[in-house]
């Protein structure tokens, strides 16, 4: 006996403007973005996803625990992720290649990592000093209440599964200055010591002093960049040949040991400006723009704000000035005096403001990508402010308070990173769409159809095509699949969740349609012709 599911279907218009739709998660805007794949790890899961420009994931990795907080796709195709308690590397098929148990090594890693060309990993770790230590080093006793939390950079070599050892270390603790107490260590002239950190700068935070949240490595310069949120500054140091040089003030390629080669964002911290000269505001994700890009050599960052009391965030770009390997200063402060580029404004009806986390980076065509942490939203924009692509992380976790009352549904992500189509780590990889993370997304289906992409390139999903009797007869019975029928003009004509059966009876006008469904983690799509 044949099993029919009969449905009278009326097509409804999907509001599309340059592939812009009213989806709330997944792909919500497609407007000729830079071709590539976007990588992100939800803050509340163990997964890492790589999605294509139509919002389908092309690969998914599973790690041992939640993120802390970044992941990177290396040029050899290896996926490296900072977990809560470890660092792991997995191949394209999710096989564990190497790992480091950070608890065993005695590190509390946070926010970010950087993988060096030699395979070593730079970690941002907490460097916590007691109140007695900080006072002995010249901290004002009125502010030396409780432990002082600074940051250190540790370079580790990982040789196998939980086989790792430290090869280099640098810490803010070794590069301090203070003008509070001449009887204590580190006494000096703060205004004439831009290479050192004033341990007594009043930032309104007594304990969590530096709060670094980003680390980047520049192999051409052999330099490391750090973003210190609470100081609203970025710092550049040399990756010296030894830890001994890193603790000192001389030696190394640049002759300054581990002292700052450059700092920028808030000259008031080293007494070479006032609050009106501040350019960065509690920023995240500082990094060098890649070589060969239009903005190569410049530094980008997500400046969170608030800025002079205004609740607004900005994506910024600035160009350090370098002459004969030295970063140039003007009247005691590092150049430049002004930003090279800045964008802030309204996005989807709201002024962009993310008070925590988030990130930004620039692409090979001059466009930029930015992540709004709390919204789990990743957007590509050109420098004129036109939105080219937006994707919202669909995967989250219900968060409850102590009384088991639902407070929010968190889809937050720390950062999203686009890897362009010619990236070495993607060459030779299976980049076919594997499915949607969300239940459905008509814009993603329309995007694939309009780009002429047959998701699985299967020519025989149905027994008969064209369809002449209003019955879609599948070659094989389907079990619990999510099935969508769309017209070529972007009309959603039919959607059913958890469909099972071999035949589906529908009422469609004559024309061309796209039928898409998910099965065993893959997405199948085929163009059909209805001929009445």
């Amino acid at each position: 006996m044949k099993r029919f599911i009969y449905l009278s279907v009326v097509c409804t218009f999907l509001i599309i403007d340059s592939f812009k739709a009213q989806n709330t998660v997944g792909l919500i805007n497609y407007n000729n973005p830079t071709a590539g794949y976007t990588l992100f790890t939800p803050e509340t899961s163990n997964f890492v996803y790589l999605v294509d420009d139509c919002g389908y994931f092309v690969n998914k990795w599973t790690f041992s625990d939640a993120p802390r907080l970044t992941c990177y796709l290396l040029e050899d195709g290896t996926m490296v992720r900072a977990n809560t308690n470890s660092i792991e590397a997995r191949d394209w098929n999710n096989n564990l290649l190497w790992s480091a148990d950070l608890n065993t090594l005695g590190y509390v890693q946070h926010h970010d990592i950087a993988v060096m060309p030699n395979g070593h990993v730079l970690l941002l770790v907490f460097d916590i000093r007691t109140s007695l230590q900080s006072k002995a080093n010249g901290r004002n006793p009125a502010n030396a209440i409780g432990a002082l939390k600074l940051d250190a950079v540790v370079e580790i070599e990982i040789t196998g599964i939980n086989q790792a050892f430290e090869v280099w270390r640098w810490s803010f603790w070794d590069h301090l200055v203070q003008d509070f107490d001449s009887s204590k260590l580190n006494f000096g002239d703060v205004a004439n010591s831009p290479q050192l950190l004033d341990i007594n700068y009043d930032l309104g935070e007594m304990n969590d002093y530096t709060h670094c949240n980003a680390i980047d490595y520049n192999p051409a310069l052999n330099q490391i960049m750090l973003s210190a949120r609470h100081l609203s500054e970025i710092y550049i140091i040399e990756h010296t040949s030894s830890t001994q040089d890193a603790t000192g003030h001389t030696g190394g390629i640049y002759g300054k040991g581990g002292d700052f080669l450059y700092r920028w964002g808030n000259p008031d911290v080293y007494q070479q400006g006032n609050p009106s000269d501040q350019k960065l505001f509690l920023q995240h994700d500082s990094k060098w723009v890649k070589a060969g890009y239009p903005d190569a050599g410049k530094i980008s960052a997500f400046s969170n704000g608030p800025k002079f009391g205004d609740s607004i965030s900005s994506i910024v770009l600035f160009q350090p000035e370098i002459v004969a390997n030295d970063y140039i200063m003007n009247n005691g402060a590092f150049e430049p005096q002004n930003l090279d580029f800045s964008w802030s404004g309204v996005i989807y009806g709201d002024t962009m403001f993310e008070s925590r986390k988030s990130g930004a980076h620039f692409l090979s065509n001059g466009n930029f990508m930015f992540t709004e942490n709390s919204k789990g939203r990743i957007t590509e924009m050109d420098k004129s402010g036109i939105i080219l692509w937006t994707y919202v992380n669909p995967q989250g976790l219900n968060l409850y308070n102590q009384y088991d009352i639902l407070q929010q549904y968190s889809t937050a992500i720390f950062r999203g990173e686009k890897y362009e189509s010619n990236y070495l780590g993607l060459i030779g990889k299976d980049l076919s769409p594997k499915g949607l993370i969300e239940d459905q997304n008509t814009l993603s289906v329309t995007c694939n159809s309009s780009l002429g992409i047959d998701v699985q390139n299967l020519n025989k999903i149905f027994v008969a095509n064209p369809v002449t009797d209003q019955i879609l007869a599948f070659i094989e019975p389907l079990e619990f699949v999510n099935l969508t029928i769309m017209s070529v003009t972007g009309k959603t004509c039919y959607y059913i969740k958890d469909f099972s059966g071999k035949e589906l009876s529908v009422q469609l006008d004559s024309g061309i349609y796209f039928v898409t469904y998910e099965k065993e983690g893959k997405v199948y799509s085929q163009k059909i012709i209805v001929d009445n």
Side-chain angles (χ1 to χ4, degrees):
M1 177 179 175
K2 292 183 179 180
R3 179 173 181 263
F4 292 93
I5 295 181
Y6 180 81
L7 188 71
S8 177
V9 180
V10 178
C11 291
T12 57
F13 283 97
L14 176 68
I15 300 173
I16 296 178
D17 177 14
S18 298
F19 295 138
K20 183 167 59 180
Q22 299 303 312
N23 301 81
T24 57
V25 295
L27 184 67
I28 67 170
N29 195 332
Y30 182 102
N31 185 21
N32 193 30
T34 306
Y37 301 84
T38 301
L39 184 75
F40 66 93
T41 178
E43 285 191 10
T44 56
S45 83
N46 293 2
F47 302 127
V48 171
Y49 293 98
L50 187 66
V51 299
D52 65 17
D53 287 335
C54 285
Y56 290 93
F57 72 87
V58 300
N59 206 2
K60 173 183 174 182
W61 295 265
T62 305
F63 285 80
S64 63
D65 60 1
R68 197 170 181 173
L69 283 162
T70 49
C71 56
Y72 294 98
L73 181 65
L74 306 186
E75 290 188 347
D76 64 359
T78 300
M79 174 57 57
V80 178
R81 182 176 184 257
N83 300 329
T84 301
N85 299 302
S86 65
I87 304 290
E88 290 181 5
R90 295 180 177 271
D91 65 16
W92 189 260
N93 298 314
N94 200 47
N95 297 306
L96 182 64
L97 300 176
W98 49 256
S99 65
D101 186 329
L102 300 180
N103 290 331
T104 299
L105 293 171
Y107 305 136
V108 180
Q109 181 273 330
H110 61 93
H111 285 87
D112 200 8
I113 61 174
V115 182
M116 305 175 72
N118 62 3
H120 294 183
V121 182
L122 295 172
L123 309 177
L124 271 179
V125 300
F126 291 135
D127 186 2
I128 300 175
R129 305 290 171 152
T130 67
S131 175
L132 288 176
Q133 286 177 306
S134 66
K135 285 186 286 189
N137 277 265
R139 187 156 171 80
N140 184 342
N143 295 328
I145 302 173
L148 179 67
K149 185 190 294 183
L150 299 173
D151 285 289
V153 178
V154 173
E155 178 185 350
I156 60 173
E157 181 178 358
I158 306 174
T159 57
I161 308 300
N162 284 331
Q163 296 178 337
F165 57 93
E166 181 179 310
V167 297
W168 185 82
R169 173 185 284 263
W170 176 94
S171 176
F172 279 102
W173 183 255
D174 299 314
H175 304 279
L176 301 175
V177 65
Q178 54 91 12
D179 57 8
F180 176 76
D181 189 340
S182 61
S183 68
K184 297 295 192 299
L185 298 173
N186 305 311
F187 184 76
D189 186 350
V190 172
N192 288 313
S193 305
Q195 76 279 13
L196 302 173
L197 178 63
D198 181 6
I199 196 175
N200 287 310
Y201 177 70
D202 184 9
L203 48 73
E205 171 60 59
M206 290 190 296
N207 304 110
D208 191 3
Y209 198 62
T210 51
H211 194 96
C212 286
N213 54 41
I215 183 169
D216 194 24
Y217 177 67
N218 188 322
L221 299 174
N222 193 35
Q223 294 176 4
I224 296 169
M225 184 190 306
L226 303 171
S227 167
R229 168 181 167 86
H230 285 172
L231 294 161
S232 292
E233 279 199 297
I234 64 101
Y235 302 91
I236 293 178
I237 60 173
E238 178 183 339
H239 176 251
T240 55
S241 59
S242 69
T243 296
Q244 182 176 355
D245 281 347
T247 61
H249 310 290
T250 60
I253 299 172
Y254 302 96
K256 298 181 180 180
D259 285 349
F260 307 145
L261 303 177
Y262 181 72
R263 63 196 299 175
W264 198 83
N266 188 10
D268 188 39
V269 179
Y270 55 106
Q271 299 180 11
Q272 291 294 342
N274 54 55
S276 65
D277 298 312
Q278 186 172 342
K279 297 295 189 297
L280 296 177
F281 299 84
L282 304 174
Q283 78 289 334
H284 283 79
D285 198 18
S286 61
K287 56 166 64 86
W288 281 281
V289 179
K290 295 180 181 178
Y293 287 15
D295 296 301
K298 298 177 183 178
I299 294 171
S300 64
F302 189 103
S303 186
N304 294 75
K307 177 180 180 181
F308 302 131
D310 293 333
S311 296
I312 188 169
S313 300
S314 305
I315 287 84
V316 301
L317 189 67
F318 58 96
Q319 175 74 69
E321 295 187 26
I322 304 175
V323 175
N325 290 330
D326 285 330
Y327 288 92
I328 300 303
M329 304 177 75
N330 182 20
N331 293 325
F334 283 98
E335 293 281 55
Q337 297 182 40
N338 297 299
L339 293 166
D340 188 80
F341 170 84
S342 177
W343 179 87
S344 59
V346 175
I347 177 169
Y348 298 110
D350 296 318
T351 299
M352 185 180 72
F353 178 60
E354 283 290 334
S355 62
R356 60 197 299 268
K357 300 181 181 175
S358 305
H361 63 283
F362 282 72
L363 304 174
S364 65
N365 54 12
N367 296 344
F368 56 95
M369 302 277 292
F370 60 94
T371 303
E372 299 165 88
N373 168 257
S374 68
K375 297 177 177 62
R377 189 163 68 189
I378 311 166
T379 297
E380 178 181 349
M381 183 179 286
D382 68 17
K383 285 183 177 175
S384 68
I386 296 175
I387 297 174
L388 305 176
W389 186 84
T390 301
Y391 182 92
V392 178
N393 167 36
Q395 186 181 80
L397 181 71
N398 287 333
L399 300 180
Y400 295 85
N401 65 13
Q402 59 180 322
Y403 306 108
D404 290 331
I405 298 174
L406 180 63
Q407 297 296 291
Q408 61 178 316
Y409 183 76
S410 175
T411 58
I413 53 177
F414 187 39
R415 298 180 196 161
E417 187 91 14
K418 171 160 275 191
Y419 293 83
E420 298 186 37
S421 295
N422 60 354
Y423 182 66
L424 291 176
L426 298 173
I427 295 176
K429 301 299 188 295
D430 176 12
L431 297 172
S432 61
K434 306 302 188 300
L436 297 171
I437 305 173
E438 64 272 30
D439 287 340
Q440 63 170 317
N441 189 310
T442 52
L443 180 57
S444 288
V445 175
T446 304
C447 174
N448 266 325
S449 302
S450 299
L451 294 178
I453 301 172
D454 183 358
V455 180
Q456 289 293 337
N457 197 26
L458 299 177
N459 295 321
K460 295 216 40 143
I461 293 176
F462 303 102
V463 173
N465 188 14
V467 175
T468 58
D469 57 1
Q470 297 286 332
I471 296 176
L472 303 182
F474 300 95
I475 292 176
E476 297 180 351
L478 303 181
E479 293 185 0
F480 303 108
V481 301
N482 300 329
L483 186 145
T484 302
I485 301 175
M486 297 188 68
S487 74
V488 292
T489 60
K491 301 174 185 177
T492 301
C493 298
Y494 179 53
Y495 172 75
I496 184 171
K497 188 174 182 179
D498 295 333
F499 165 72
S500 296
K502 192 172 182 178
E503 293 177 324
L504 177 65
S505 179
V506 296
Q507 288 186 343
L508 298 169
D509 294 335
S510 296
I512 299 173
Y513 299 85
F514 293 92
V515 179
T516 302
Y517 65 86
E518 298 178 45
K519 179 182 178 182
E520 296 178 350
K522 295 183 178 181
V523 174
Y524 297 84
S525 180
Q526 185 181 339
K527 181 189 298 182
I528 64 169
I529 300 172
V530 175
D531 185 1
N532 293 329

